[in-house]
Amino acid sequence: MKYSSLAIVVIAGASVASAHTIFVQLEADGATHPVSYGIRTPSYDGPINDVTSNDLACNGGPNPTTPSADIMEVTAGSTVNATWRHTLTSGPDDVMDASHKGPTLAYLKKVDDATSDVGYGAGWFKIQEDGYTDGAWGTSKVIDDAGKHPITIPTCIEDGQYLLRAEMIALHAASSELGAQLYMECAQIKVSGGKASVTPATSSIPGIYKQNDPGILINIYSMTADSEYVIPGPELFTC
Ligand SMILES: *[C@@H]1O[C@H](CO)[C@@H](O)[C@H](O)[C@H]1NC(C)=O
Ligand SMILES: [Cu+2]
């Protein structure tokens, strides 16, 4: 049993080296923004593996990102779609290799200037998470829905500029240390219509995950439909 699980990991790892993913564009307030508009997208689609790296916030490092001068309007309480694609030029059938199973998550950080904020550091709060339910992974739903990752912007936050960090964590090789593949990009948004009635508790990125978190260091091949998956990171913020 152990041997066959290991074999699957090795095969999956070898065949999907070029099947990573990028959060390429945002659908918000009725607009489908062009690819890379208002998003710090990288030219390379590789993951971040080191959860202690500053690159965990808005990517970078091995996947250098291009700055954007654009900021997208988002109404508090609305649901936006982060759209994921294998590369910046892939179509809706090419989101990410199906082997890349794991949770989807999203975080916000209030900033003075979304075009210049470094991203990493304090101020982040989690606004969406989808782990493993009845044998279905969050990432599989995104792949099956043409790369659409729905994220609801809380109604109770204050207006202003934010970084919206959408994330998918692929666990196909996560049974060894540094094996989890974390994919994330930051969109630059301006929220309006917020009630400013609740102040979220915030966390630092890096700092939200540990390399040995049960949701980061895990053998997903031993899971059944009834298995419980512990989504990593801080508690989900709700109004
Ligand atoms: C998000 O995608 C769904 C389909 O998957 C669509 O019905 C919805 O209108 C999209 N939302 C936005 C804000 O475009
Ligand atoms: Cu990959």
Side-chain angles (χ1 to χ4, degrees):
M1 203 55 189
K2 191 157 183 242
Y3 186 77
S4 63
S5 307
L6 188 65
I8 293 167
V9 174
V10 171
I11 292 162
S15 63
V16 298
S18 61
H20 308 311
T21 195
I22 302 174
F23 161 29
V24 297
Q25 83 194 114
L26 189 74
E27 291 183 335
D29 282 20
T32 300
H33 297 286
V35 168
S36 291
Y37 183 92
I39 304 180
R40 304 169 183 187
T41 54
S43 54
Y44 181 63
D45 59 0
I48 299 297
N49 297 88
D50 178 2
V51 302
T52 67
S53 165
N54 283 345
D55 303 327
L56 186 71
C58 292
N59 210 338
N63 319 309
T65 55
T66 306
S68 170
D70 300 307
I71 296 176
M72 296 171 283
E73 303 276 341
V74 174
T75 303
S78 72
T79 299
V80 304
N81 291 323
T83 302
W84 294 85
R85 296 280 186 262
H86 174 194
T87 69
L88 294 177
T89 55
S90 300
D93 294 340
D94 191 13
V95 173
M96 181 169 68
D97 192 272
S99 67
H100 284 40
K101 298 187 192 317
T104 64
L105 310 96
Y107 294 80
L108 283 177
K109 179 190 180 186
K110 180 93 168 57
V111 295
D112 291 331
D113 183 348
T115 66
S116 63
D117 190 90
V118 293
Y120 56 82
W124 291 97
F125 55 100
K126 188 197 268 176
I127 59 167
Q128 178 270 334
E129 59 184 11
D130 186 11
Y132 183 75
T133 315
D134 298 330
W137 286 101
T139 56
S140 304
K141 291 180 209 164
V142 169
I143 292 170
D144 292 347
D145 197 15
K148 304 283 180 67
H149 173 186
I151 301 162
T152 300
I153 306 300
T155 53
C156 60
I157 59 173
E158 68 178 308
D159 287 349
Q161 296 186 24
Y162 288 81
L163 293 176
L164 168 63
R165 176 183 181 276
E167 177 175 45
M168 297 214 282
I169 305 180
L171 300 170
H172 53 290
S175 57
S176 55
E177 186 105 346
L178 296 172
Q181 300 186 350
L182 296 94
Y183 297 94
M184 78 298 298
E185 273 72 37
C186 289
Q188 302 170 175
I189 66 171
K190 181 168 173 284
V191 172
S192 60
K195 294 197 181 83
S197 54
V198 185
T199 303
T202 59
S203 306
S204 184
I205 301 181
I208 48 172
Y209 307 143
K210 291 199 288 300
Q211 215 70 57
N212 62 354
D213 278 343
I216 299 282
L217 183 63
I218 180 174
N219 178 359
I220 60 169
Y221 303 100
S222 62
M223 291 172 67
T224 66
D226 298 331
S227 296
E228 208 175 303
Y229 172 74
V230 182
I231 300 170
E235 211 176 309
L236 185 69
F237 170 72
T238 56
C239 290

